[in-house]
Amino acid sequence: MKKSIILSCVLALALVGTLYSLPKVVVNTKAKEVDTEKSEVAAAPGASAPTTPASETPSNMHDGATLSPEQQKNVDLLRSGFNHATGKDKIAAGLKLSDTFAKLQKFDSAASYAEKVAQLAPSVENITKAGDRYYEAYGFAVDDAKAKSLGNKTREFYGKAIEKNPGLLAAKANMAMTYVNTENPMAGIMMLREVLDTDPTNELALFNLGILSMRSNQYSKAADRFRQILTNNPANTKAKFYLGLTLVELGNKDEARKVLAEVKKEEKDPVIQQALIELQERLDN
């Protein structure tokens, strides 16, 4: 598979805030097969990395768009408000800061303030949000050490949330993806299968398993996963796009053309539209 296609689409999905964003480290890391008969994931060699939490320092912040003077002023005011607030006001200020940083694509800072809120008010909702924010930051990690650190934080908060509420299937499905490039990638696969045991039509778990099958070049398995999603939700254009991509890899050109033509009509995201052009070129050659 041409990495430019899948990576560009991964970025597109993450940037539009889709539930199905995939960490870039899952795509970029060179993998080795694990239990080829049973596994749907390839494991990357473990990388040593510090386990300290991500801080809000500029060197650790994921680069989004450079903040304008107005945006920086707003952030400074919100931060000052958080630092001087107490009680419920501090919690509200922390949540607003986290949301603001997320919108500005400063994902480490968004996670850092979500963590502060979870420490101040450790409700299931706040702990889960911290996990969500760290997972989002993990999704934009561009090196193994950073990904490992953020993956650890993601698992920490999702683990706490799931302990309080085992029914948090989305948290479990996201958490599973952080195991992919650890020394125990099968833990993630087993977690996704546990989600499907509880909810056989869970779109996020099916989608993640489909992506992992693609990652290990098991395109037939991947196609089956995406078809399962579309059976229950034909309007899921992200699953339809990846189905088309797997069909291209399988050499099923006629079916791929049909599926991708539907995506072209239904999906408005410009990056995916660009990827469709590249895929069409492959189909025509």
Side-chain angles (χ1 to χ4, degrees):
M1 178 192 305
K2 294 185 70 175
K3 288 186 179 180
S4 62
I5 296 176
I6 188 169
L7 179 56
S8 66
C9 294
V10 165
L11 288 172
L13 303 190
L15 288 173
V16 298
T18 177
L19 190 62
Y20 305 133
S21 60
L22 174 68
K24 285 195 285 182
V25 67
V26 174
V27 179
N28 290 339
T29 307
K30 191 174 182 179
K32 59 183 178 181
E33 295 286 340
V34 175
D35 189 357
T36 54
E37 184 176 10
K38 296 180 181 178
S39 175
E40 296 185 56
V41 63
S48 59
T51 56
T52 54
S55 70
E56 197 197 341
T57 59
S59 62
N60 280 334
M61 287 170 63
H62 288 300
D63 266 341
T66 301
L67 299 187
S68 68
E70 183 178 350
Q71 289 171 332
Q72 187 62 58
K73 181 180 179 181
N74 183 46
V75 165
D76 290 342
L77 285 172
L78 291 174
R79 187 187 289 113
S80 177
F82 173 80
N83 290 336
H84 291 92
T86 58
K88 291 183 179 180
D89 289 341
K90 194 174 188 71
I91 294 168
L95 289 171
K96 189 170 183 178
L97 254 176
S98 180
D99 290 344
T100 298
F101 275 124
K103 290 176 182 176
L104 295 172
Q105 298 180 34
K106 299 297 185 182
F107 300 113
D108 284 12
S109 293
S112 176
Y113 278 99
E115 177 175 2
K116 294 179 192 297
V117 170
Q119 291 169 340
L120 290 168
S123 65
V124 172
E125 181 181 3
N126 289 338
I127 295 170
T128 302
K129 184 161 189 173
D132 290 340
R133 292 296 193 217
Y134 273 113
Y135 183 67
E136 189 171 34
Y138 169 76
F140 282 85
V142 293
D143 63 79
D144 290 343
K146 190 62 175 290
K148 184 172 183 178
S149 177
L150 292 170
N152 287 339
K153 295 296 290 185
T154 302
R155 289 191 292 276
E156 175 188 341
F157 283 97
Y158 276 152
K160 289 177 180 178
I162 292 168
E163 189 175 317
K164 289 176 175 286
N165 181 2
L168 294 173
L169 299 186
K172 193 174 287 189
N174 283 344
M175 182 177 173
M177 297 301 281
T178 68
Y179 282 103
V180 174
N181 292 300
T182 68
E183 295 80 3
N184 187 21
M186 281 304 296
I189 293 298
M190 297 308 295
M191 192 171 289
L192 289 171
R193 290 175 178 170
E194 287 175 9
V195 172
L196 291 178
D197 285 343
T198 303
D199 176 13
T201 63
N202 187 279
E203 291 188 20
L204 182 53
L206 288 169
F207 189 92
N208 286 348
L209 283 171
I211 291 293
L212 294 178
S213 293
M214 290 176 69
R215 185 177 184 270
S216 55
N217 298 321
Q218 299 182 73
Y219 296 110
S220 292
K221 281 188 176 181
D224 288 343
R225 297 298 188 185
F226 298 132
R227 283 192 175 103
Q228 281 180 271
I229 294 172
L230 293 168
T231 296
N232 296 298
N233 182 11
N236 190 322
T237 56
K238 304 302 185 288
K240 192 174 293 186
F241 170 81
Y242 279 105
L243 173 60
L245 186 52
T246 59
L247 292 171
V248 172
E249 295 299 329
L250 289 167
N252 297 344
K253 291 189 174 183
D254 290 340
E255 188 179 359
R257 285 192 181 94
K258 180 181 178 181
V259 171
L260 293 175
E262 293 177 8
V263 176
K264 187 173 182 178
K265 291 179 181 178
E266 299 166 3
E267 177 58 59
K268 304 303 181 184
D269 189 278
V271 180
I272 290 183
Q273 287 292 332
Q274 181 59 43
L276 289 170
I277 294 173
E278 189 174 339
L279 284 169
Q280 188 60 54
E281 290 174 355
R282 290 186 60 190
L283 288 170
D284 293 339
N285 291 334

